[in-house]
Amino acid sequence: TEEVEARCVHWPPQVMTVRHRWAGTDASEVLRDNDIILEVNGQHVERFRDLEVAVASEPRAELLIVRGGKKFKVVMQTTRLDDGITDRVVMWCGGVLQTTPLAVAQRGQQGEVSTWLLDKYNLPPMSRIIEIDGKEVSDLDGFLRTVVDKRDGENVRIKHLDLRNAASVTSLRVDKRYWPAVEVKRL
């Protein structure tokens, strides 16, 4: 609209549109693709940097958006995003697991535990584990709490998602002799 154009600092006028949302954040629930963000916490935004500055150190944000030709306000919790550096891995049953990389979460993929090198059990790399034996797993700590008490030789069902969010279930047998659970953290 002319009102929005008049507030634009850059020429030609620019607007922020929603293209991607990080899975597991309030934004993934509240915002929709093609929403136009006009203001964040009362500040006019045109570029991504404007948006970053407006929400820096704020636990929540109030956005003025345009959706379907109508303006309205939405409120959401902000989420601190990691820098994308792996600082912790868990090795378990011959596989290497880590928190889902930022690039995958950015695509809107759900699931916080990603697999690497679990080919031994046909669990493809970049699968995201969401359940162990029917219990939801939301992060590496939850994963460890769920598997630490599994006995040697016990069968475990792992529900996981691929990059298309297609669910699969894989069973494996725990082998604590050759593949004990090990956690490695960056200092």
Side-chain angles (χ1 to χ4, degrees):
T1 66
E2 291 174 7
E3 171 194 346
V4 172
E5 187 176 322
R7 294 185 65 194
C8 288
V9 175
H10 300 91
W11 190 258
Q14 300 175 15
V15 293
M16 285 287 305
T17 58
V18 176
R19 300 282 310 262
H20 301 284
R21 298 172 309 278
W22 271 259
T25 64
D26 253 14
S28 69
E29 301 295 321
V30 175
L31 298 175
R32 302 287 173 258
D33 284 349
N34 301 316
D35 282 352
I36 298 171
I37 302 173
L38 302 176
E39 293 180 1
V40 176
N41 293 337
Q43 297 177 32
H44 176 74
V45 294
E46 293 181 47
R47 299 173 302 173
F48 189 74
R49 182 66 183 148
D50 298 337
L51 188 125
E52 286 179 319
V53 169
V55 298
S57 303
E58 297 289 336
R60 43 178 258 152
E62 181 179 86
L63 283 69
L64 176 63
I65 66 170
V66 176
R67 179 184 299 157
K70 296 183 175 122
K71 277 191 206 179
F72 57 96
K73 291 188 177 189
V74 294
V75 177
M76 69 182 75
Q77 299 296 315
T78 59
T79 304
R80 179 173 166 75
L81 298 175
D82 293 330
D83 55 13
I85 297 172
T86 300
D87 59 357
R88 179 179 176 205
V89 296
V90 171
M91 292 174 272
W92 178 75
C93 284
V96 179
L97 305 121
Q98 69 175 36
T99 300
T100 300
L102 188 59
V104 175
Q106 180 181 359
R107 294 181 58 190
Q109 309 294 331
Q110 66 183 31
E112 288 296 318
V113 181
S114 286
T115 63
W116 295 97
L117 307 174
L118 256 172
D119 269 350
K120 176 180 175 185
Y121 297 102
N122 291 325
L123 194 60
M126 291 302 302
S127 296
R128 281 137 16 254
I129 297 172
I130 58 172
E131 287 181 12
I132 300 287
D133 287 338
K135 295 178 186 163
E136 188 175 315
V137 174
S138 61
D139 57 19
L140 276 175
D141 292 322
F143 175 84
L144 286 171
R145 279 192 301 276
T146 304
V147 301
V148 73
D149 293 329
K150 300 293 181 188
R151 294 183 316 273
D152 193 41
E154 188 175 351
N155 289 323
V156 176
R157 283 184 330 275
I158 301 173
K159 184 174 182 181
H160 52 94
L161 303 173
D162 64 15
L163 287 175
R164 296 179 321 247
N165 278 339
S168 298
V169 176
T170 301
S171 294
L172 60 82
R173 180 166 287 140
V174 175
D175 185 344
K176 289 189 173 188
R177 179 176 179 192
Y178 292 106
W179 304 108
V182 176
E183 182 178 18
V184 180
K185 292 182 180 182
R186 181 186 301 266
L187 294 176

